[in-house]
Amino acid sequence: PALQRIPAAMQVAFARYSERFGTPAENLCVLFVVQEGESNTVDQRMLEFGLWNNHGIPVIRKSLTKLATDLVVDETTGALSVDGKEVAVVYFRAGYAPTDYPDGYDGIEWEARARLEKSRAAKAPSLGYHLAGTKKVQQELARPGVLERFFPSADEADAVSNMRSAFAGLYSLGEDATTEDLAAVHEALNGGEGSYVLKPQREGGGYNFYGDNLASKLKENTSQDADGKVKLGEQLGEYILMQRLFPPQQRAVLLRNGKVEGSGESVSELGCYGTLVVSPEGDVAHNEYAGFLLRTKFSNVDEGGVASGFATLSSPFLC
């Protein structure tokens, strides 16, 4: 249901924007922020068609580079306009990787992103949710006592325990590294590299370090004294170290572009979509399950991105 439920959630945000600010729906649009030369367009277009066919909502697609010159923000009201249409919802399909900001922190892409965030348009995801998807924030959320900040009541203790039971080990490699973090690095440096993955703040597959490559990367950027105490190099601050997961395996035949890619032992990763529309005051207006994505790859393949060619789309009925 993802291709129906995600546009439906955007329509909720769109309608609430129109009602709140008194802007007629025919003057509004949804803005898709996409990458320059985007090749991964199929699901984006299906969402766009769903918005138009089922809800009569037009979509404008722009990269951050184009938005630097094409967007207009009313400094008094915060209204955001592009190509003559006021934007009710900004849907980010770009802005998640450093390559989306090629001119650096002072560049036009960062400026465009800042103007989008300062506008009154609804954002999908919001800036907070965007940051929550980064490896570093996930690592910080896994630290002892952090979940309790968000669930402080005594009657929420069981919920916190259940959430924490699903966490993998996540370890900082920055200036905030603790004794526990350094112990994990020490293990990875001394024969335990197979139990960990070294991850940068990137998505999409192809950027992680495993096994011997992980050990080499750590050795190049750490030092150990005679007592085995580890000192981290500055470059490692952009990574986290994660406990490696070993999901159950099953025999599978994988297809790509309509052709058999091969057969053998495989592993799968299931991700579930949810849609959430929340007012600036924190009131939940919409909260629904919105489908799933299942990716399957051969068990001897480390990376897992579909668009990057490491995995294939699958179905729970095949597992």
Side-chain angles (χ1 to χ4, degrees):
L3 294 177
Q4 291 78 43
R5 301 321 305 159
I6 293 175
M10 292 185 189
Q11 189 276 332
V12 172
F14 182 95
R16 287 175 63 86
Y17 181 98
S18 177
E19 179 181 0
R20 180 181 184 188
F21 297 110
T23 308
E26 58 266 24
N27 296 339
L28 297 172
C29 72
V30 172
L31 173 65
F32 280 24
V33 180
V34 299
Q35 293 180 321
E36 284 283 318
E38 177 68 83
S39 59
N40 187 26
T41 60
V42 175
D43 71 295
Q44 297 177 19
R45 288 296 190 184
M46 294 300 288
L47 296 175
E48 177 183 339
F49 299 157
L51 278 167
W52 179 252
N53 294 333
N54 299 326
H55 306 288
I57 297 175
V59 168
I60 295 176
R61 297 167 54 88
K62 296 277 185 179
S63 68
L64 287 170
T65 303
K66 286 288 291 180
L67 287 170
T69 55
D70 292 356
L71 66 82
V72 177
V73 179
D74 187 308
E75 297 298 334
T76 302
T77 65
L80 173 70
S81 299
V82 175
D83 295 350
K85 283 278 192 180
E86 186 173 335
V87 177
V89 180
V90 180
Y91 176 47
F92 288 102
R93 291 299 295 258
Y96 296 84
T99 50
D100 292 327
Y101 305 93
D103 290 336
Y105 292 126
D106 297 323
I108 58 174
E109 293 82 13
W110 271 115
E111 180 186 355
R113 179 65 188 267
R115 293 167 69 193
L116 290 172
E117 294 294 345
K118 291 177 181 178
S119 77
R120 71 186 190 186
K123 320 298 189 306
S126 66
L127 187 57
Y129 266 86
H130 194 158
L131 291 172
T134 65
K135 306 294 190 300
K136 182 60 181 177
V137 172
Q138 293 168 2
Q139 174 255 303
E140 287 297 321
L141 287 171
R143 286 203 185 280
V146 174
L147 281 181
E148 286 79 358
R149 289 178 51 198
F150 303 98
F151 302 93
S153 300
D155 59 1
E156 296 174 315
D158 287 343
V160 169
S161 178
N162 288 336
M163 284 186 280
R164 187 166 284 123
S165 70
F167 289 178
L170 297 165
Y171 308 99
S172 173
L173 301 178
E175 295 178 354
D176 60 339
T178 64
T179 301
E180 183 184 10
D181 298 329
L182 294 176
V185 175
H186 184 272
E187 181 181 358
L189 285 167
N190 292 277
E193 64 274 9
S195 299
Y196 296 95
V197 182
L198 186 64
K199 293 189 170 187
Q201 310 303 310
R202 302 291 298 272
E203 297 293 340
Y207 305 104
N208 299 333
F209 291 83
Y210 300 83
D212 292 341
N213 291 332
L214 181 154
S216 297
K217 183 71 172 178
L218 288 179
K219 288 175 182 177
E220 291 169 4
N221 293 279
T222 58
S223 60
Q224 297 186 70
D225 60 21
D227 297 326
K229 185 177 180 180
V230 175
K231 182 178 180 180
L232 303 174
E234 183 177 339
Q235 186 182 2
L236 287 177
E238 65 182 275
Y239 297 87
I240 67 160
L241 191 65
M242 176 180 164
Q243 172 192 358
R244 187 167 185 178
L245 305 178
F246 296 95
Q249 300 182 16
Q250 62 276 329
R251 294 282 299 177
V253 177
L254 302 190
L255 301 176
R256 185 181 297 278
N257 297 326
K259 298 180 180 179
V260 175
E261 191 171 82
S263 63
E265 294 296 322
S266 70
V267 294
S268 298
E269 179 183 13
L270 177 67
C272 294
Y273 295 111
T275 54
L276 184 67
V277 180
V278 183
S279 74
E281 295 74 33
D283 298 321
V284 177
H286 174 93
N287 185 3
E288 285 190 356
Y289 165 74
F292 65 87
L293 176 69
L294 186 71
R295 299 180 294 184
T296 298
K297 65 180 182 179
F298 291 122
S299 58
N300 62 348
V301 176
D302 289 328
E303 294 287 358
V306 173
S308 51
F310 297 104
T312 60
L313 294 177
S314 189
S315 166
F317 294 105
L318 299 176
C319 294

